[in-house]
Amino acid sequence: MNTNKERINNLQKKLADRFGIEVKYNLLVQSMSHTSYVNEINEDRSLSYEKLEFLGDAVLQFVITEYIYRNYPDLDEGELTRFRANIVQSASLSQFSLELGLDHAVLLGQGELKNSGNRRRALMEDIFESLLGAIYLSSGLQAVTKFLNESVIKDIKSGNLKMNVDYKTTLQELLQEAGSVKIEYIPREHLDQKDDWTTDLYVNDQLLGSGVGHNRKSAEQQAAQVALEKLQAKQDH
Amino acid sequence: MNTNKERINNLQKKLADRFGIEVKYNLLVQSMSHTSYVNEINEDRSLSYEKLEFLGDAVLQFVITEYIYRNYPDLDEGELTRFRANIVQSASLSQFSLELGLDHAVLLGQGELKNSGNRRRALMEDIFESLLGAIYLSSGLQAVTKFLNESVIKDIKSGNLKMNVDYKTTLQELLQEAGSVKIEYIPREHLDQKDDWTTDLYVNDQLLGSGVGHNRKSAEQQAAQVALEKLQAKQDH
């Protein structure tokens, strides 16, 4: 078992060798430090990865937004929004973390280790973003773009990330895993042809999400996407 | 009444004179073109401002995120998130649009004009963001930052944008405008001290939002914020 220092050193070396990216040691430590670890060594919570994740998420959204804006000129803004949501979703980002071996670099407290927390998808997503924050602060936007070109954007190009997800079908399948369920998409009053549609999604008579779109179909897809994100957040926490 | 060409020319000149920013004419036209206008002149919907708004929103989020990350080192990520949400909210962005006179530059179809749509807050927010998209594509990130330094960031510095909004109080006041209402914050089962709290917000027994936070208070604030955004979206559409 490597010491913490060795694990961070290994990651630093990997980022340099594989991506030609320099990340400052202290920032790299922070980007891999879970609050449980920071608590354990009696450090301030502000030294955990959370703030770097906040920054890294915004950098990620920006780089991916520009990439799909420029490279998918035929998509409208609704399609671009859904495409982006699909790209930066938890499942795909956590996959990149595992590929990079961030699960071997992340610093967790003993409690988290016992919970096999280091495999948790949400954690893997978080530290992918906090790593982006550390790269950004160490080496700027170009370095982040370079890194994303070799990971997320490479996956977009290869077609691994599907452009259009049918959220309604995905949601239906997920909900029906637990048995019979009543799913209703109820459009709100739609007065003007030019206005957007708003649709509420009720599952067993409980409002689970709402969506806005240029037509009924797109509003329903968005409502289903919102509901899926809620269910996913529930699972992650 | 100025012609459309004159209105766009005036805006282009204003951006150059006041901010030293060059924006390409065609991009500026697009950033000010509402779908109702594009429909009216039988152009493709892709020539409306919507895609530039998608891009501009991401640039805005990124620049503001970095600004508050660097300048408010004492805030934790929850506070930073709420602060950012408050900065990029509809009301303040639409205010900048009006200050810039974008309401005189926006290109609307006849139907929208009759609805006095050119004053609508949502529209003003949209075109502030689409203008950012046009600036970004014309002159890059530095130009956007320069522009934001003279508008949104200037407002942050002056203290006009409050750091912490009490969303619970704001929501309560808003809901009670319409009469008596039952508001309940119900925490989900909270198993582990180290875990985040999740709280569901019910208004008259209907789920209106959920929040996740490091403690009960912060989860409730987030749930209230989600609910406020929903109500605002409802008003805007």
Side-chain angles (χ1 to χ4, degrees), chain B residues 55-99:
Chain B
L55 178 64
D57 173 68
V59 183
L60 173 69
Q61 295 276 348
F62 170 57
V63 173
I64 297 303
T65 299
E66 177 170 15
Y67 179 79
I68 62 175
Y69 178 90
R70 290 192 190 272
N71 290 280
Y72 295 84
D74 292 338
L75 298 189
D76 70 29
E77 80 289 356
E79 291 165 327
L80 288 169
T81 303
R82 282 200 295 279
F83 190 19
R84 182 179 59 190
N86 192 32
I87 293 166
V88 301
Q89 67 171 314
S90 180
S92 52
L93 297 187
S94 58
Q95 197 51 46
F96 293 121
S97 275
L98 293 174
E99 279 168 27

Side-chain angles (χ1 to χ4, degrees), chain A residues 188-201:
Chain A
R188 298 200 195 140
E189 209 172 347
H190 182 64
L191 297 169
D192 187 335
Q193 277 281 334
K194 280 173 190 167
D195 273 0
D196 287 329
W197 287 72
T198 304
T199 297
D200 294 319
L201 161 59

Side-chain angles (χ1 to χ4, degrees), chain B residues 63-191:
Chain B
V63 173
I64 297 303
T65 299
E66 177 170 15
Y67 179 79
I68 62 175
Y69 178 90
R70 290 192 190 272
N71 290 280
Y72 295 84
D74 292 338
L75 298 189
D76 70 29
E77 80 289 356
E79 291 165 327
L80 288 169
T81 303
R82 282 200 295 279
F83 190 19
R84 182 179 59 190
N86 192 32
I87 293 166
V88 301
Q89 67 171 314
S90 180
S92 52
L93 297 187
S94 58
Q95 197 51 46
F96 293 121
S97 275
L98 293 174
E99 279 168 27
L100 277 166
L102 299 190
D103 51 332
H104 299 296
V106 66
L107 305 170
L108 299 170
Q110 289 302 323
E112 281 294 310
L113 282 174
K114 276 182 216 140
N115 293 331
S116 70
N118 59 339
R119 284 279 168 189
R120 272 192 18 206
R121 192 181 62 181
L123 172 66
M124 289 297 113
E125 177 193 5
D126 289 351
I127 58 175
F128 185 81
E129 293 179 340
S130 59
L131 176 61
L132 293 180
I135 294 173
Y136 179 70
L137 291 180
S138 301
S139 300
L141 195 57
Q142 280 198 315
V144 175
T145 306
K146 198 199 280 183
F147 179 73
L148 289 173
N149 275 333
E150 292 295 316
S151 52
V152 182
I153 291 172
K154 200 174 182 179
D155 244 39
I156 302 173
K157 283 183 184 160
S158 74
N160 281 347
L161 292 166
K162 269 186 294 177
M163 199 170 65
N164 273 311
V165 178
D166 180 356
Y167 294 104
K168 280 181 71 177
T169 306
T170 310
L171 178 69
Q172 196 182 334
E173 286 167 359
L174 186 75
L175 289 172
Q176 284 173 347
E177 274 177 21
S180 176
V181 66
K182 184 170 79 172
I183 303 173
E184 293 169 297
Y185 291 87
I186 302 179
R188 297 202 195 140
E189 209 172 347
H190 182 65
L191 297 169

Side-chain angles (χ1 to χ4, degrees), chain A residues 45 50-52 54 58-59 62 65-66 69-70 73 75 77 84 136-137 188 202 206 214 234, chain B residues 45 50-52 54 58-59 62 65-66 69-70 73 75 77 84 136-137 188 202 206 214 234:
Chain A
R45 186 183 177 117
E50 293 175 321
K51 285 176 68 170
L52 285 175
F54 170 77
V59 183
F62 169 57
T65 299
E66 177 170 14
Y69 178 89
R70 290 192 190 273
L75 299 188
E77 79 290 355
R84 181 178 61 188
Y136 179 69
L137 291 179
R188 298 200 195 140
Y202 290 88
Q206 201 182 20
H214 299 314
K234 225 168 162 180
Chain B
R45 187 183 177 117
E50 293 175 319
K51 286 175 70 171
L52 286 174
F54 169 76
V59 183
F62 170 57
T65 299
E66 177 170 15
Y69 178 90
R70 290 192 190 272
L75 298 189
E77 80 289 356
R84 182 179 59 190
Y136 179 70
L137 291 180
R188 297 202 195 140
Y202 290 87
Q206 201 182 19
H214 299 315
K234 225 168 163 178

Side-chain angles (χ1 to χ4, degrees), chain A residues 5-39:
Chain A
K5 198 165 191 305
E6 283 167 346
R7 291 153 77 192
I8 298 298
N9 278 332
N10 288 344
L11 178 58
Q12 195 178 31
K13 196 171 174 308
K14 188 187 276 181
L15 291 166
D17 294 349
R18 189 165 146 195
F19 301 99
I21 287 170
E22 250 182 80
V23 187
K24 287 178 185 153
Y25 185 82
N26 286 348
L27 285 168
L28 199 55
V29 170
Q30 190 185 342
S31 75
M32 292 296 124
S33 295
H34 190 260
T35 42
S36 62
Y37 169 76
V38 174
N39 286 337

